[in-house]
Amino acid sequence: MHPWVGAGPEDRRQILSELGLQSIDELFASIPSGVCVDGLDLPPARDEDWIRRTLGNMAATNISMDSIPCFLGAGVYRHVQPSVVDAVLSRAEFFTSYTPYQPEISQGTLQVIFEFQTLISRLTGLDVANASLYDGATALVEAALFSHRVLRSKRDLVVMAETIHPMYRRVLDTYTEAAGIEVAVVPPGADGRLDPERVREAAGDRACCVAIQSPNFLGIVEDLPQLATATHDCGALAIEVVTEAASLGILNGGGSFGFDVVCGEAQSFGVAPGFGGPHLGFFACSSKHLRQMPGRLAGETVDENGTRAFCLTLSTREQHIRRAKATSNICTNQGLMALAATVWLEAIGGNGLRELAASCLARTEELKRRITAIGAPWRLAYPQSPTFNEFLLVGPGSGTELVERLATKGVLAGVPTTDWGGTWPDGVLVAVTECNSGKDLDAFAAALEQLS
Amino acid sequence: MKRRAIRSEPLFFERNSRRVRRQGYLLPVLDVPEVTPSEVLPPELIRKPDPHFPDISEMEVVQHFHRLSQLNYAVDEGLYPLGSCTMKYNPRINEEIARLPGFASLHPLQPQSQIQGALRLIWELEESLKAITGMPGATLQPAAGAHGELTGILMIRKALEARGEKREIVLVPDSAHGTNPATATFAGYRAQEIPSADDGTVDLGALDRMMDDTVAALMLTVPNTLGIFEHQILEIADLVHSRGGFIYMDGANLNSFVGRALPGLMGADAMHINLHKTFSTPHGGGGPGAGPVTVSEALLPHLPVPKVQRDDNGFELLWKDPASIGQMRGFYGNFLILVRALTYIWSLGAEGLRSMSDVAVLYANLVRHRLNGAYHLKFDAPSLHEVVFDDSIQTRHEVHNVDIAKRLLDYGFHPPTMSFPLIVHGALMIEPAESVAPDEIEAFCDAMLAIAEEAESDPGLVRSAPHDTPVGRVDEVRAARNLKVTWTPDDEG
């Protein structure tokens, strides 16, 4: 007997007797004997105390980001975590419920999705947003395939900035290869920013979309208005990818400049780094393209008494209705993470989000100043380019070596660019958030000086 | 859940009607010099304050979500017998372990020496899933079942390419989940439907006619969405393999035979496993899930990167592998979901997992036994973990499956899956799962029998249900006609 199996041996005997059976084996008689086994090659059951100790020890062999001054980013960021977020997520009414297909008993989840869609819409500057996608990388994939559908596949070239997170581009390659879509990559200029002229050259008249990231992989803020214009001049859809959603506290989303899609990763909004998942993909677009949007949507309506109510809507785009002709095969999404982001954003507030972003900005500028003051052999790869909360640091040796040496000084300095390829220097991407205190910055600067 | 709403909960954007600044959270003190954004960022890119994004106090936030939560039904409240979805208990120890700082506050790009425990966890879960399926390889990367399907089909595509073949078609039974044909399209194939035979399983004759050298794979749910085991599974697999195709197994229903049968023995080449079904990770109101894929020898070389490898020095990530399909998503999967699944598997152990399947099947058969007659059973082949009735007895009184479902809400139960699989008109697909006590199953059956009785004696009562939920029957048609998917300031009137 196990506590998670509801029927004990006596219950089972009674039910079998009601069914007129001798043994539970009879219920499995339809399975051909050639595929059957008698039990599994797995260890025996473990009690909760054993589990807590064993998995606790396994967790303890990892170095948590909270235990040491930490400047890792590159698509996953450490931000403040109000205790109310996990308190809400831990409510069984939210975490043990299913997709809200029965609106009469799911108004909680549905209203949360509606609020999430509205928050993402306001932050991205676009009319509509969906209920979530798996993560930032697959959101980019969906955006590229969406563009291909919107332009009715007449254009089969996807243009990508090289400064989109390299992992996102790898994931895109996996999908576009199967879909028979060609991908062209545009490298950044000497200042780490994308040159609109090079975008025009790459897109020509064949591109269904041009995707750029801002702040880009190097932390640099792109010239969104110029890039939107260049893309639209070529007749393609403009896609902005955001991997650091906290930047939207101080920077306008691409929708404000005419971008057709703004998508990416919203892990920064209250979702734990969690060794890479579950995170929170988001997708916003203009209402004229709504019917090509992938993923679930909650809409407002009324109940039979005329009271405001919410329900899932436009499901004719989705796999359970449209099957082979669906806009995406996505079914399960990241619902609980969308709840986390909604609670987080509502707790932080509109002005609070702006202050949080300003805090990231101030701390980043301060660390850049300190590094510049230390001077050789340390330098900023793109000292003149505007950044939000991340920048590329170059020093003696490869980025991987630098990170390892700085770790010996008690600082998790960032993410090395060493193994990602790219036309930029081999260095360390350093991310600074509102969680990095002045003391963390002191520790970083001291570690650099010791290695100078 | 409150049976009736005391009042509806305003939207966040409708709160704080005074439009004054309140404080929901205190940020860390700014202990570095302040920076004027326009001095370091291009001024035209800087956001202006949004008067429609309010700041509210912490208790307002808590009340808002507390009240919203009370409008939801949940597994912890009562039976949630959604067929194919496997709504089982979500053990609390899973939640505790997934929140340990060594897992939750771990960055995926930390140096490998700092993440050995996490890599070990991935490795252990892969090993467990290999043992449970009898298949030699696994990837934990896919974020959900449908994502696992795509991963599997792309591996099959890669294996065919390696053989110098390009096939165009993926066969999908008419009883399949919608994700199967959608996945086939997404992977660049044409989905072609195979009809079911009279007993609800795959029509072997039809398969024989359709299976030729243009077919890349057969996607097969085992047991199928009727809860019926494909008793000719070995013949099906032989037929597909002998003509150069692959078997993609949809593992949505793996929870019905853990410890009793192995997909590896059934001829599966790839199979996704919904951790949020069989292995108790929470559904979270729609996600996150996780859809690991186990593979046969033939597909081993094509598993996605990065892969976790073990050697004498510990665990490491392999990022490059020329035969791999590449990467399917960022990083390594929905890791904290993987943590919960391993906690579940280790807690139950070999015997416990088998008894999980045993009781799931026992309960489904109890429901079948008690409701048969009151509700019509189109396919009478033996049921495993779920049973599909239809509403053909009730439609005589103009009561449809949707009415039965809504009336169940008044009895305090979540309804079964409705109108699926598509081969059963007016379907009511019931999957009790193993974790509740038998009393709960019996109470559900009593409610279903009472509704069958009401459908005859007072059909209007059933047709006008629900009567006791926070909102009345919701107008879904209107939602699609007058689309409104965000709040806008115009709504303030």
Side-chain angles (χ1 to χ4, degrees):
Chain A
M1 268 179 84
H2 192 278
W4 302 337
V5 177
E10 188 56 36
D11 291 314
R12 295 178 209 181
R13 271 194 294 278
Q14 287 180 14
I15 296 170
L16 283 172
S17 147
E18 181 178 343
L19 299 179
L21 301 174
Q22 299 299 313
S23 152
I24 227 161
D25 297 344
E26 294 170 53
L27 291 171
F28 294 89
S30 59
I31 305 183
S33 58
V35 305
C36 287
V37 287
D38 189 18
L40 290 170
D41 186 16
L42 283 178
R46 305 290 191 185
D47 59 86
E48 196 168 289
D49 193 57
W50 184 94
I51 290 285
R52 190 177 282 122
R53 226 172 331 108
T54 308
L55 284 160
N57 286 340
M58 202 185 285
T61 62
N62 300 319
I63 308 288
S64 136
M65 288 173 87
D66 304 327
S67 62
I68 162 172
C70 175
F71 297 84
L72 274 85
V76 182
Y77 301 87
R78 189 171 58 119
H79 287 286
V80 290
Q81 189 63 338
S83 56
V84 300
V85 174
D86 202 41
V88 171
L89 254 58
S90 300
R91 290 196 68 92
E93 296 89 337
F94 285 125
F95 90 90
T96 79
S97 59
Y98 191 65
T99 307
Y101 289 128
Q102 295 289 338
E104 294 82 4
I105 51 162
S106 311
Q107 285 299 303
T109 296
L110 286 160
Q111 183 168 331
V112 167
I113 298 173
F114 189 82
E115 292 186 9
F116 174 75
Q117 289 170 182
T118 305
L119 287 163
I120 295 295
S121 155
R122 298 195 76 75
L123 288 170
T124 55
L126 282 161
D127 308 329
V128 290
N130 73 8
S132 74
L133 295 171
Y134 303 137
D135 69 352
T138 55
L140 168 64
V141 169
E142 292 281 10
L145 298 176
F146 163 93
S147 308
H148 198 239
R149 284 196 301 276
V150 165
L151 298 179
R152 298 205 175 75
S153 312
K154 279 179 245 163
R155 293 159 165 255
D156 54 2
L157 175 70
V158 166
V159 175
M160 290 281 134
E162 190 192 14
T163 45
I164 288 180
H165 198 302
M167 192 179 285
Y168 288 28
R169 287 193 281 112
R170 286 181 191 171
V171 175
L172 184 87
D173 285 343
T174 306
Y175 288 70
T176 47
E177 191 188 317
I181 297 173
E182 187 186 338
V183 179
V185 176
V186 185
D191 59 354
R193 297 180 100 191
L194 206 57
D195 178 350
E197 284 315 307
R198 298 183 75 168
V199 166
R200 278 196 180 84
E201 287 161 23
D205 58 2
R206 281 187 50 221
C208 59
C209 64
V210 173
I212 62 104
Q213 179 180 320
S214 185
N216 68 25
F217 182 62
L218 307 170
I220 299 169
V221 177
E222 296 282 7
D223 187 346
L224 296 183
Q226 294 281 346
L227 291 169
T229 305
T231 302
H232 290 149
D233 286 350
C234 300
L237 298 192
I239 298 172
E240 183 196 8
V241 179
V242 178
T243 61
E244 170 44 306
S247 67
L248 296 171
I250 206 159
L251 293 166
N252 272 315
S256 313
F257 308 109
F259 274 77
D260 301 282
V261 175
V262 179
C263 65
E265 177 56 63
Q267 174 268 328
S268 290
F269 294 158
V271 178
F275 199 52
H279 287 171
L280 176 57
F282 70 92
F283 188 106
C285 70
S286 139
S287 54
K288 68 177 181 231
H289 298 138
L290 180 58
R291 277 164 208 280
Q292 290 299 337
M293 184 187 247
R296 290 187 194 127
L297 271 171
E300 188 183 313
T301 182
V302 294
D303 75 355
E304 60 194 334
N305 307 312
T307 306
R308 177 168 71 183
F310 302 92
C311 64
L312 293 178
T313 194
L314 276 196
S315 51
T316 47
R317 299 163 299 119
E318 293 183 69
Q319 49 75 28
H320 62 286
I321 307 288
R322 188 59 62 87
R323 297 174 78 86
K325 294 194 174 73
T327 53
S328 168
N329 75 335
I330 191 168
C331 178
T332 292
N333 60 16
Q334 301 291 110
L336 200 68
M337 279 41 248
L339 171 65
T342 307
V343 182
W344 190 89
L345 284 165
E346 296 184 8
I348 298 289
N351 287 299
L353 185 62
R354 195 179 171 79
E355 282 165 18
L356 181 147
S359 176
C360 294
L361 189 69
R363 292 168 201 275
T364 306
E365 291 301 316
E366 175 66 12
L367 186 58
K368 283 160 76 174
R369 263 196 300 275
R370 295 213 198 169
I371 290 168
T372 309
I374 294 169
W378 306 101
R379 65 181 176 85
L380 306 177
Y382 304 100
Q384 305 304 327
S385 300
T387 61
F388 167 60
N389 73 345
E390 200 160 13
F391 57 86
L392 183 57
L393 169 70
V394 188
S398 74
T400 304
E401 286 162 12
L402 292 177
V403 167
E404 278 168 12
R405 290 170 66 200
L406 289 163
T408 65
K409 306 291 171 198
V411 172
L412 273 177
V415 173
T417 55
T418 312
D419 295 323
W420 293 111
T423 55
W424 42 78
D426 182 355
V428 183
L429 284 171
V430 182
V432 191
T433 74
E434 76 285 359
C435 296
N436 291 111
S437 65
K439 280 189 176 149
D440 285 359
L441 305 190
D442 294 342
F444 195 106
L448 288 192
E449 280 179 347
Q450 285 175 34
L451 292 187
S452 293
Chain B
M1 193 180 86
K2 285 180 181 159
R3 302 314 302 172
R4 280 182 188 281
I6 292 166
R7 58 183 171 187
S8 65
E9 174 63 11
L11 289 164
F12 168 66
F13 310 96
E14 296 162 341
R15 294 191 157 269
N16 195 344
S17 56
R18 296 171 208 269
R19 294 284 175 238
V20 293
R21 175 86 199 255
R22 293 177 192 144
Q23 193 80 34
Y25 188 72
L26 278 186
L27 292 171
V29 174
L30 190 63
D31 52 1
V32 301
E34 207 172 323
V35 167
T36 306
S38 58
E39 286 174 9
V40 294
L41 292 171
E44 71 277 15
L45 299 184
I46 295 175
R47 178 179 295 273
K48 293 192 176 55
D50 178 356
H52 301 289
F53 191 154
D55 294 78
I56 59 179
S57 70
E58 180 169 329
M59 190 170 182
E60 283 179 278
V61 174
V62 169
Q63 286 183 331
H64 180 55
F65 289 100
H66 181 90
R67 290 174 188 152
L68 286 176
S69 77
Q70 292 192 309
L71 306 178
N72 271 1
Y73 188 89
V75 164
D76 283 10
E77 186 165 334
L79 196 69
Y80 215 127
L82 280 172
S84 219
C85 304
T86 317
M87 298 299 287
K88 61 172 68 178
Y89 173 60
N90 306 126
R92 293 312 191 264
I93 184 74
N94 293 359
E95 299 303 309
E96 181 184 323
I97 300 295
R99 283 166 171 80
L100 293 171
F103 293 139
S105 298
L106 197 62
H107 193 287
L109 298 176
Q110 281 178 234
Q112 294 204 357
S113 61
Q114 301 180 357
I115 57 174
Q116 286 296 303
L119 296 180
R120 163 140 200 211
L121 187 134
I122 289 175
W123 186 85
E124 295 279 3
L125 183 56
E126 284 180 359
E127 292 302 306
S128 298
L129 295 179
K130 281 152 60 174
I132 287 166
T133 58
M135 296 172 77
T139 174
L140 308 187
Q141 218 177 90
H147 200 216
E149 290 175 25
L150 185 64
T151 306
I153 295 293
L154 291 181
M155 283 190 266
I156 288 168
R157 190 184 173 91
K158 201 81 177 174
L160 286 166
E161 276 170 16
R163 285 202 319 232
E165 285 186 55
K166 187 170 169 7
R167 300 184 173 211
E168 293 116 50
I169 292 170
V170 168
L171 298 177
V172 180
D174 54 8
S175 60
H177 297 111
T179 49
N180 290 181
T183 295
T185 307
F186 225 57
Y189 288 107
R190 195 149 46 79
Q192 209 167 80
E193 213 166 74
I194 314 183
S196 296
D198 290 342
D199 65 353
T201 61
V202 168
D203 183 335
L204 203 56
L207 179 66
D208 188 24
R209 287 190 294 279
M210 294 168 84
M211 183 65 223
D212 59 26
D213 64 4
T214 64
V215 175
L218 166 66
M219 293 182 88
L220 198 60
T221 307
V222 179
N224 69 15
T225 57
L226 298 162
I228 299 171
F229 200 90
E230 293 289 345
H231 54 94
Q232 292 175 301
I233 183 73
L234 291 173
E235 291 82 354
I236 291 171
D238 281 348
L239 180 61
V240 170
H241 286 148
S242 68
R243 297 181 194 170
F246 290 84
I247 298 284
Y248 182 86
M249 201 169 277
D250 183 323
N253 297 338
L254 171 66
N255 61 309
S256 64
F257 61 81
V258 175
R260 289 210 170 248
L262 297 178
L265 296 175
M266 300 173 200
D269 292 295
M271 178 173 89
H272 78 261
I273 301 164
N274 308 78
L275 296 184
H276 48 293
K277 297 183 181 175
T278 302
F279 298 111
S280 83
T281 73
H283 281 74
V293 176
T294 48
V295 298
S296 65
E297 289 289 341
L299 297 183
L300 269 181
H302 310 300
L303 283 166
V305 285
K307 298 177 191 176
V308 174
Q309 297 200 315
R310 183 179 203 176
D311 63 23
D312 295 344
N313 301 319
F315 299 90
E316 66 171 347
L317 285 163
L318 177 74
W319 286 89
K320 291 200 174 82
D321 188 348
S324 164
I325 55 167
Q327 199 169 346
M328 286 302 295
R329 52 156 285 158
F331 309 110
Y332 331 114
N334 279 344
F335 178 75
L336 298 179
I337 301 298
L338 309 179
V339 171
R340 290 170 169 93
L342 187 67
T343 305
Y344 182 78
I345 290 170
W346 278 8
S347 296
L348 277 171
E351 283 293 313
L353 287 169
R354 184 178 155 115
S355 74
M356 172 265 286
S357 288
D358 282 1
V359 173
V361 171
L362 187 67
Y363 279 173
N365 279 279
L366 177 60
V367 170
R368 176 181 165 139
H369 176 71
R370 294 231 174 155
L371 300 188
N372 200 3
Y375 292 90
H376 178 247
L377 190 64
K378 179 172 175 184
F379 294 101
D380 69 350
S383 297
L384 286 173
H385 66 300
E386 63 195 3
V387 56
V388 181
F389 291 101
D390 64 51
D391 60 7
S392 57
I393 296 177
Q394 287 71 34
T395 50
R396 289 180 214 146
H397 309 283
E398 299 289 313
V399 168
H400 296 271
N401 62 348
V402 60
D403 304 318
I404 297 164
K406 299 300 182 195
R407 185 63 182 146
L408 261 176
L409 303 177
D410 289 337
Y411 281 90
F413 292 102
H414 196 283
T417 296
M418 282 189 305
S419 308
F420 182 82
L422 303 179
I423 57 172
V424 179
H425 185 78
L428 289 158
M429 182 192 205
I430 305 172
E431 177 179 8
E434 74 288 347
S435 31
V436 295
D439 317 59
E440 183 82 12
I441 306 282
E442 288 170 352
F444 168 78
C445 290
D446 290 347
M448 286 291 287
L449 294 172
I451 294 169
E453 169 62 32
E454 287 171 355
E456 289 185 27
S457 61
D458 191 0
L461 178 72
V462 184
R463 280 199 296 269
S464 57
H467 304 282
D468 197 25
T469 46
V471 295
R473 205 177 281 202
V474 172
D475 190 345
E476 302 189 39
V477 175
R478 178 188 158 117
R481 282 207 188 125
N482 308 332
L483 267 181
K484 178 160 177 47
V485 296
T486 55
W487 176 90
T488 60
D490 304 340
D491 298 348
E492 286 185 325

